[in-house]
Amino acid sequence: MPYLLLLLLASQPVVADLSSARQAELLNMLKHDCGSCHGLPPKGGLGPSLMADAIADKTDALLFDAIQNGRAGTAMPAWRPFLNAEETHWMIQRLRQP
Amino acid sequence: MNLKLWRCLIVITGWLLWSALNAEPRASGDLGLVIERETGSVLIINTTTASTLSRIDNLGDLSHASVVFSRDQRYAYVFGRDGGLSKIDLLQDKLVKRIVQSGNSIGGAISQDGKLIAVSNYTPGGVKIFAADTLELLADLPAEYGDEHKRSKVVGLVDAPGQKFVCSLFEANQIWLIDAKNPRQPQVTKFEDIGAQPYDALLTPDGHFYAAGLFGEKGLALLDLWQPENGVEHILADYGKDDEQMPVYKMPHLEGWTVAGDLLFVPAVGQHEVLVIDQRDWQLIKRIPVAGQPVFVMSRPDARQVWVNFAFPDNQTVQVIDVKDFSVIQTLQPGKAVLHMEFTPRGEAVWMAVRDEDKVVVYDTDSFRQSAQLPARKPSGIFFSNRANQLGL
């Protein structure tokens, strides 16, 4: 059931009501914490490239699941404790911007 | 030539001579580099005066970077994320040469004789060897493995005695011992099935042992470089195997060690612990609880103290372990996102990069008080020139 809820959340359109302070925090996180494995810009490192063209064929649901729950068998951890659904969507949208 | 021109020449010559006589000569033993990860620049700093001398720009993507020094401590070689290899002249504050030698790299090493630079690459996975003076490519060793000739990311590259390099292959689960006596045709000895996903490695300061940390399973892969024919041993394979594994928000790094007696201090992967290993029998003798998941576990040069920084979300904290009794004697909060630490050559001070506060702080390791602070743009790694004379760095 919680998983179903996640899927539902994942398909929700993004509501851009994150405070600008939180957006700045998320951007810093994207650059520096995600960037420690994915690079800055995120052209890949230990983790794969997250550049807009590299993730163009990945669905939002897949990216959402990877960020929230991590990827088993890889070094990608679950970021659920630090990112709610809305923030995760914000991150994905940000990555998709060319 | 007319008189006017002569006068002009005399004035210029005089001025040049005067400048040369007054220019302060610079020594290189107390210099270092601070990486600015977001802007792709480095600061050249002086550790005696705790000051910034210059900034070198246009070094590409330094979101992950490391540095080695020439043995005369004049040049620093910066390995960038984008495969960039940059040679910087510390005496003249300038970039001497920069090449982009791969798509994605993680680090490098300088050979025992100082004449070779080796780089470990993620994309395409492998090791490349360059001439230290010209950065001419001498050898390319693709990290191919398996029947399909896939290429592995290469990590934990260090120099070793006998003009050798040692590295680990993240996906291939191998350690390679590279003999570069003939740098155009290096000889590679491959050790297979050394353990799952080696993520980084260290060389003991005497050059005797190479230890690779494993991400995919517990413990470390250990190679005795005095007896490589004995193969790689998997140590600490069973410790804490029933403990709950926590998600890892930043890969630990292995480059610090301490040899107080025969002790080795390493970060525990996915645990809030520093592991203490007795080098005589490679047994785990202590698990020290700490404030978060350790990233760097680095000993002060005299090995009395071990300083530890942590992965997100505990990266505002630094702890100090007293090697005498393994107790945590200090918990410091130098600022938001402490990424790296570097000790001055004899360890009276430690420099720490505080990324999210755009500063480098210097702490006295006796009083644990801040003694200086320097502005830096999103600083990450700090590297001092005394590394030039240390094996494995």
Side-chain angles (χ1 to χ4, degrees):
Chain A
M1 192 60 188
Y3 187 64
L4 223 149
L5 200 69
L6 265 185
L7 280 179
L8 275 174
L9 282 171
S11 57
Q12 293 280 315
V14 179
V15 194
D17 58 0
L18 292 172
S19 71
S20 58
R22 183 58 183 158
Q23 289 189 23
E25 273 178 18
L26 291 178
L27 194 59
N28 194 59
M29 196 173 177
L30 196 61
K31 278 183 187 170
H32 298 293
D33 295 303
C34 305
S36 75
C37 278
H38 293 280
L40 173 66
K43 292 179 181 169
L46 189 65
S49 170
L50 301 178
M51 298 296 280
D53 54 345
I55 58 168
D57 63 340
K58 307 275 191 293
T59 63
D60 280 2
L62 182 118
L63 296 172
F64 185 91
D65 181 59
I67 296 170
Q68 284 280 305
N69 303 314
R71 303 276 279 171
T74 76
M76 177 69 176
W79 292 84
R80 199 178 328 109
F82 310 105
L83 294 171
N84 65 28
E86 188 186 354
E87 292 165 345
T88 305
H89 278 298
W90 188 90
M91 291 283 215
I92 294 168
Q93 295 258 314
R94 186 80 208 185
L95 288 169
R96 289 202 188 282
Q97 285 171 18
Chain B
M1 216 181 283
N2 66 36
L3 197 63
K4 212 171 172 183
L5 201 60
W6 269 113
R7 275 189 187 147
C8 193
L9 268 178
I10 288 165
V11 170
I12 290 171
T13 313
W15 182 80
L16 281 174
L17 272 172
W18 186 84
S19 314
L21 286 171
N22 282 278
E24 191 71 28
R26 185 188 288 179
S28 55
D30 56 357
L31 302 183
L33 288 187
V34 174
I35 307 288
E36 296 182 311
R37 75 187 300 270
E38 186 172 344
T39 47
S41 49
V42 298
L43 301 177
I44 298 180
I45 55 84
N46 180 294
T47 58
T48 305
T49 55
S51 59
T52 301
L53 305 180
S54 62
R55 172 178 279 128
I56 314 287
D57 288 303
N58 301 315
L59 301 180
D61 178 356
L62 298 185
S63 66
H64 187 286
S66 68
V67 178
V68 298
F69 293 90
S70 63
R71 65 200 261 170
D72 61 7
Q73 299 178 321
R74 175 169 181 176
Y75 299 104
Y77 299 87
V78 181
F79 308 98
R81 169 69 88 194
D82 56 359
L85 168 56
S86 305
K87 181 177 179 178
I88 289 168
D89 186 337
L90 299 173
L91 302 187
Q92 300 193 62
D93 300 319
K94 69 176 188 191
L95 177 62
V96 179
K97 186 160 187 180
R98 175 176 151 77
I99 59 170
V100 176
Q101 53 82 41
S102 79
N104 199 314
S105 75
I106 191 70
I110 187 161
S111 63
Q112 187 175 33
D113 68 359
K115 291 180 179 167
L116 306 174
I117 300 291
V119 190
S120 54
N121 288 316
Y122 276 0
T123 318
V127 175
K128 284 186 178 174
I129 298 176
F130 298 88
D133 52 357
T134 59
L135 301 188
E136 178 201 354
L137 178 66
L138 301 178
D140 184 1
L141 303 168
E144 287 184 355
Y145 69 103
D147 297 333
E148 295 163 32
H149 302 286
K150 281 199 263 186
R151 290 178 77 156
S152 173
K153 298 186 189 79
V154 177
V155 300
L157 174 67
V158 300
D159 63 289
Q163 196 68 354
K164 294 190 173 83
F165 294 107
V166 197
C167 63
S168 299
L169 280 59
F170 183 74
E171 290 92 353
N173 305 335
Q174 294 183 12
I175 289 175
W176 285 12
L177 179 58
I178 302 164
D179 184 332
K181 280 187 207 76
N182 180 354
R184 288 185 189 276
Q185 283 173 314
Q187 302 299 309
V188 182
T189 308
K190 300 176 184 179
F191 300 89
E192 298 184 0
D193 301 319
I194 56 104
Q197 295 176 314
Y199 65 87
D200 197 7
L202 63 80
L203 186 79
T204 54
D206 57 5
H208 188 163
F209 294 101
Y210 176 84
L214 300 174
F215 184 77
E217 60 187 297
K218 290 284 183 182
L220 296 111
L222 182 73
L223 178 62
D224 180 347
L225 295 172
W226 288 13
Q227 310 175 79
E229 63 279 8
N230 288 357
V232 173
E233 190 187 347
H234 188 174
I235 60 167
L236 272 56
D238 289 327
Y239 91 89
K241 64 179 176 190
D242 300 325
D243 298 352
E244 191 194 350
Q245 191 70 13
M246 287 182 264
V248 178
Y249 292 101
K250 181 171 169 64
M251 272 288 174
H253 286 59
L254 295 176
E255 73 164 43
W257 51 73
T258 203
V259 182
D262 294 288
L263 304 178
L264 184 73
F265 289 70
V266 294
V269 182
Q271 303 291 339
H272 292 186
E273 288 175 350
V274 169
L275 307 178
V276 187
I277 303 165
D278 189 329
Q279 246 185 285
R280 286 165 302 189
D281 56 7
W282 300 104
Q283 294 300 305
L284 180 67
I285 59 169
K286 180 82 179 170
R287 298 165 66 175
I288 305 172
V290 287
Q293 293 186 24
V295 175
F296 284 98
V297 174
M298 304 184 78
S299 73
R300 203 172 63 174
D302 66 337
R304 171 66 194 271
Q305 295 173 355
V306 171
W307 289 57
V308 187
N309 75 332
F310 301 100
F312 176 89
D314 300 305
N315 56 12
Q316 72 289 348
T317 299
V318 168
Q319 288 189 312
V320 184
I321 296 166
D322 188 340
V323 173
K324 174 167 60 78
D325 56 9
F326 305 149
S327 62
V328 174
I329 52 168
Q330 286 287 325
T331 298
L332 307 169
Q333 308 280 337
K336 200 160 173 271
V338 179
L339 291 200
H340 193 219
M341 304 166 285
E342 179 86 334
F343 291 93
T344 51
R346 298 192 190 202
E348 84 288 353
V350 62
W351 289 45
M352 295 184 272
V354 188
R355 183 193 68 201
D356 288 356
E357 296 183 18
D358 294 304
K359 66 183 182 183
V360 169
V361 293
V362 183
Y363 273 56
D364 182 302
T365 62
D366 190 44
S367 68
F368 304 105
R369 291 207 183 92
Q370 185 178 316
S371 59
Q373 178 176 321
L374 292 80
R377 301 183 297 209
K378 298 283 178 285
S380 53
I382 306 177
F383 303 87
F384 294 161
S385 60
N386 60 303
R387 286 172 174 252
N389 304 315
Q390 291 173 280
L391 290 171
L393 297 182

mmCIF file of all heavy atoms in Angstrom, chain B residues 200-224:
data_model
loop_
_atom_site.group_PDB
_atom_site.id
_atom_site.type_symbol
_atom_site.label_atom_id
_atom_site.label_comp_id
_atom_site.label_asym_id
_atom_site.label_seq_id
_atom_site.Cartn_x
_atom_site.Cartn_y
_atom_site.Cartn_z
ATOM 1 N N ASP B 200 38.072 2.204 -3.100
ATOM 2 C CA ASP B 200 39.243 3.062 -2.946
ATOM 3 C C ASP B 200 40.306 2.216 -2.249
ATOM 4 O O ASP B 200 40.013 1.098 -1.798
ATOM 5 C CB ASP B 200 38.926 4.313 -2.113
ATOM 6 C CG ASP B 200 39.984 5.414 -2.275
ATOM 7 O OD1 ASP B 200 40.885 5.261 -3.116
ATOM 8 O OD2 ASP B 200 39.901 6.429 -1.550
ATOM 9 N N ALA B 201 41.513 2.719 -2.152
ATOM 10 C CA ALA B 201 42.574 1.917 -1.555
ATOM 11 C C ALA B 201 43.627 2.808 -0.931
ATOM 12 O O ALA B 201 43.667 4.013 -1.186
ATOM 13 C CB ALA B 201 43.215 1.030 -2.618
ATOM 14 N N LEU B 202 44.471 2.212 -0.119
ATOM 15 C CA LEU B 202 45.580 2.954 0.457
ATOM 16 C C LEU B 202 46.832 2.081 0.450
ATOM 17 O O LEU B 202 46.772 0.855 0.374
ATOM 18 C CB LEU B 202 45.261 3.422 1.870
ATOM 19 C CG LEU B 202 45.008 2.389 2.969
ATOM 20 C CD1 LEU B 202 46.286 1.805 3.535
ATOM 21 C CD2 LEU B 202 44.233 3.068 4.106
ATOM 22 N N LEU B 203 47.956 2.771 0.481
ATOM 23 C CA LEU B 203 49.240 2.107 0.615
ATOM 24 C C LEU B 203 49.746 2.448 2.013
ATOM 25 O O LEU B 203 49.673 3.609 2.430
ATOM 26 C CB LEU B 203 50.208 2.662 -0.431
ATOM 27 C CG LEU B 203 51.566 1.984 -0.533
ATOM 28 C CD1 LEU B 203 51.446 0.693 -1.328
ATOM 29 C CD2 LEU B 203 52.581 2.908 -1.199
ATOM 30 N N THR B 204 50.243 1.450 2.755
ATOM 31 C CA THR B 204 50.820 1.794 4.056
ATOM 32 C C THR B 204 52.050 2.664 3.807
ATOM 33 O O THR B 204 52.696 2.538 2.765
ATOM 34 C CB THR B 204 51.185 0.533 4.859
ATOM 35 O OG1 THR B 204 52.019 -0.303 4.066
ATOM 36 C CG2 THR B 204 49.939 -0.234 5.264
ATOM 37 N N PRO B 205 52.374 3.560 4.734
ATOM 38 C CA PRO B 205 53.424 4.555 4.467
ATOM 39 C C PRO B 205 54.792 3.945 4.170
ATOM 40 O O PRO B 205 55.633 4.599 3.551
ATOM 41 C CB PRO B 205 53.480 5.394 5.749
ATOM 42 C CG PRO B 205 52.311 5.018 6.555
ATOM 43 C CD PRO B 205 51.718 3.758 6.026
ATOM 44 N N ASP B 206 54.999 2.696 4.576
ATOM 45 C CA ASP B 206 56.268 2.036 4.259
ATOM 46 C C ASP B 206 56.224 1.326 2.905
ATOM 47 O O ASP B 206 57.195 0.689 2.494
ATOM 48 C CB ASP B 206 56.625 1.032 5.369
ATOM 49 C CG ASP B 206 55.534 -0.015 5.592
ATOM 50 O OD1 ASP B 206 54.539 -0.017 4.823
ATOM 51 O OD2 ASP B 206 55.666 -0.825 6.528
ATOM 52 N N GLY B 207 55.090 1.421 2.214
ATOM 53 C CA GLY B 207 54.984 0.811 0.891
ATOM 54 C C GLY B 207 54.870 -0.701 0.916
ATOM 55 O O GLY B 207 54.981 -1.350 -0.126
ATOM 56 N N HIS B 208 54.601 -1.258 2.069
ATOM 57 C CA HIS B 208 54.588 -2.711 2.200
ATOM 58 C C HIS B 208 53.233 -3.331 1.803
ATOM 59 O O HIS B 208 53.192 -4.349 1.123
ATOM 60 C CB HIS B 208 54.937 -3.056 3.658
ATOM 61 C CG HIS B 208 55.142 -4.520 3.926
ATOM 62 N ND1 HIS B 208 55.786 -4.974 5.044
ATOM 63 C CD2 HIS B 208 54.784 -5.622 3.234
ATOM 64 C CE1 HIS B 208 55.812 -6.305 5.026
ATOM 65 N NE2 HIS B 208 55.209 -6.716 3.936
ATOM 66 N N PHE B 209 52.152 -2.690 2.223
ATOM 67 C CA PHE B 209 50.822 -3.262 1.985
ATOM 68 C C PHE B 209 49.926 -2.305 1.196
ATOM 69 O O PHE B 209 49.946 -1.093 1.423
ATOM 70 C CB PHE B 209 50.119 -3.590 3.306
ATOM 71 C CG PHE B 209 50.790 -4.681 4.085
ATOM 72 C CD1 PHE B 209 51.615 -4.365 5.160
ATOM 73 C CD2 PHE B 209 50.609 -6.013 3.743
ATOM 74 C CE1 PHE B 209 52.242 -5.363 5.882
ATOM 75 C CE2 PHE B 209 51.233 -7.022 4.465
ATOM 76 C CZ PHE B 209 52.058 -6.702 5.534
ATOM 77 N N TYR B 210 49.128 -2.898 0.325
ATOM 78 C CA TYR B 210 48.084 -2.171 -0.406
ATOM 79 C C TYR B 210 46.746 -2.748 0.069
ATOM 80 O O TYR B 210 46.547 -3.971 0.036
ATOM 81 C CB TYR B 210 48.253 -2.403 -1.908
ATOM 82 C CG TYR B 210 47.187 -1.791 -2.795
ATOM 83 C CD1 TYR B 210 47.268 -0.460 -3.202
ATOM 84 C CD2 TYR B 210 46.111 -2.549 -3.263
ATOM 85 C CE1 TYR B 210 46.314 0.105 -4.048
ATOM 86 C CE2 TYR B 210 45.149 -1.991 -4.108
ATOM 87 C CZ TYR B 210 45.264 -0.671 -4.492
ATOM 88 O OH TYR B 210 44.326 -0.110 -5.327
ATOM 89 N N ALA B 211 45.880 -1.887 0.567
ATOM 90 C CA ALA B 211 44.588 -2.361 1.083
ATOM 91 C C ALA B 211 43.468 -1.640 0.347
ATOM 92 O O ALA B 211 43.415 -0.406 0.331
ATOM 93 C CB ALA B 211 44.493 -2.106 2.584
ATOM 94 N N ALA B 212 42.571 -2.410 -0.278
ATOM 95 C CA ALA B 212 41.429 -1.830 -0.980
ATOM 96 C C ALA B 212 40.175 -2.042 -0.146
ATOM 97 O O ALA B 212 39.902 -3.155 0.305
ATOM 98 C CB ALA B 212 41.262 -2.482 -2.358
ATOM 99 N N GLY B 213 39.412 -0.975 0.080
ATOM 100 C CA GLY B 213 38.146 -1.084 0.791
ATOM 101 C C GLY B 213 37.091 -1.648 -0.147
ATOM 102 O O GLY B 213 37.087 -1.344 -1.338
ATOM 103 N N LEU B 214 36.206 -2.482 0.385
ATOM 104 C CA LEU B 214 35.168 -3.095 -0.438
ATOM 105 C C LEU B 214 33.818 -2.463 -0.139
ATOM 106 O O LEU B 214 33.455 -2.275 1.025
ATOM 107 C CB LEU B 214 35.105 -4.601 -0.178
ATOM 108 C CG LEU B 214 36.400 -5.373 -0.474
ATOM 109 C CD1 LEU B 214 36.270 -6.821 -0.030
ATOM 110 C CD2 LEU B 214 36.744 -5.286 -1.960
ATOM 111 N N PHE B 215 33.087 -2.145 -1.213
ATOM 112 C CA PHE B 215 31.746 -1.583 -1.047
ATOM 113 C C PHE B 215 30.692 -2.678 -1.104
ATOM 114 O O PHE B 215 29.699 -2.637 -0.391
ATOM 115 C CB PHE B 215 31.480 -0.540 -2.136
ATOM 116 C CG PHE B 215 30.162 0.148 -1.994
ATOM 117 C CD1 PHE B 215 29.990 1.138 -1.040
ATOM 118 C CD2 PHE B 215 29.078 -0.200 -2.787
ATOM 119 C CE1 PHE B 215 28.769 1.767 -0.878
ATOM 120 C CE2 PHE B 215 27.853 0.425 -2.633
ATOM 121 C CZ PHE B 215 27.695 1.412 -1.677
ATOM 122 N N GLY B 216 30.909 -3.680 -1.936
ATOM 123 C CA GLY B 216 29.914 -4.721 -2.179
ATOM 124 C C GLY B 216 29.872 -5.804 -1.122
ATOM 125 O O GLY B 216 28.961 -6.636 -1.100
ATOM 126 N N GLU B 217 30.862 -5.852 -0.268
ATOM 127 C CA GLU B 217 30.846 -6.784 0.864
ATOM 128 C C GLU B 217 31.721 -6.231 1.980
ATOM 129 O O GLU B 217 32.351 -5.192 1.820
ATOM 130 C CB GLU B 217 31.300 -8.183 0.439
ATOM 131 C CG GLU B 217 32.705 -8.243 -0.140
ATOM 132 C CD GLU B 217 33.031 -9.626 -0.701
ATOM 133 O OE1 GLU B 217 33.054 -10.589 0.088
ATOM 134 O OE2 GLU B 217 33.271 -9.735 -1.906
ATOM 135 N N LYS B 218 31.727 -6.934 3.083
ATOM 136 C CA LYS B 218 32.470 -6.452 4.238
ATOM 137 C C LYS B 218 33.975 -6.619 4.046
ATOM 138 O O LYS B 218 34.423 -7.540 3.365
ATOM 139 C CB LYS B 218 32.047 -7.242 5.479
ATOM 140 C CG LYS B 218 30.641 -6.931 5.952
ATOM 141 C CD LYS B 218 30.602 -5.614 6.669
ATOM 142 C CE LYS B 218 29.192 -5.329 7.202
ATOM 143 N NZ LYS B 218 29.151 -4.016 7.850
ATOM 144 N N GLY B 219 34.724 -5.751 4.705
ATOM 145 C CA GLY B 219 36.156 -5.964 4.809
ATOM 146 C C GLY B 219 37.000 -5.282 3.753
ATOM 147 O O GLY B 219 36.545 -4.418 3.005
ATOM 148 N N LEU B 220 38.253 -5.697 3.718
ATOM 149 C CA LEU B 220 39.227 -5.111 2.810
ATOM 150 C C LEU B 220 39.986 -6.212 2.075
ATOM 151 O O LEU B 220 40.142 -7.316 2.582
ATOM 152 C CB LEU B 220 40.257 -4.271 3.589
ATOM 153 C CG LEU B 220 39.757 -3.038 4.336
ATOM 154 C CD1 LEU B 220 39.853 -3.267 5.821
ATOM 155 C CD2 LEU B 220 40.530 -1.810 3.940
ATOM 156 N N ALA B 221 40.452 -5.862 0.868
ATOM 157 C CA ALA B 221 41.311 -6.768 0.103
ATOM 158 C C ALA B 221 42.745 -6.309 0.311
ATOM 159 O O ALA B 221 43.065 -5.141 0.100
ATOM 160 C CB ALA B 221 40.944 -6.714 -1.369
ATOM 161 N N LEU B 222 43.590 -7.239 0.746
ATOM 162 C CA LEU B 222 44.934 -6.867 1.168
ATOM 163 C C LEU B 222 45.987 -7.532 0.286
ATOM 164 O O LEU B 222 45.986 -8.751 0.097
ATOM 165 C CB LEU B 222 45.120 -7.331 2.616
ATOM 166 C CG LEU B 222 46.455 -7.005 3.265
ATOM 167 C CD1 LEU B 222 46.530 -5.521 3.582
ATOM 168 C CD2 LEU B 222 46.623 -7.826 4.541
ATOM 169 N N LEU B 223 46.906 -6.727 -0.242
ATOM 170 C CA LEU B 223 47.995 -7.269 -1.055
ATOM 171 C C LEU B 223 49.323 -6.935 -0.373
ATOM 172 O O LEU B 223 49.621 -5.764 -0.119
ATOM 173 C CB LEU B 223 47.948 -6.666 -2.466
ATOM 174 C CG LEU B 223 49.058 -7.103 -3.431
ATOM 175 C CD1 LEU B 223 49.010 -8.608 -3.687
ATOM 176 C CD2 LEU B 223 48.946 -6.350 -4.760
ATOM 177 N N ASP B 224 50.097 -7.971 -0.084
ATOM 178 C CA ASP B 224 51.426 -7.802 0.509
ATOM 179 C C ASP B 224 52.412 -7.588 -0.638
ATOM 180 O O ASP B 224 52.707 -8.520 -1.389
ATOM 181 C CB ASP B 224 51.777 -9.065 1.313
ATOM 182 C CG ASP B 224 53.151 -8.976 1.968
ATOM 183 O OD1 ASP B 224 53.931 -8.058 1.616
ATOM 184 O OD2 ASP B 224 53.440 -9.826 2.836
#
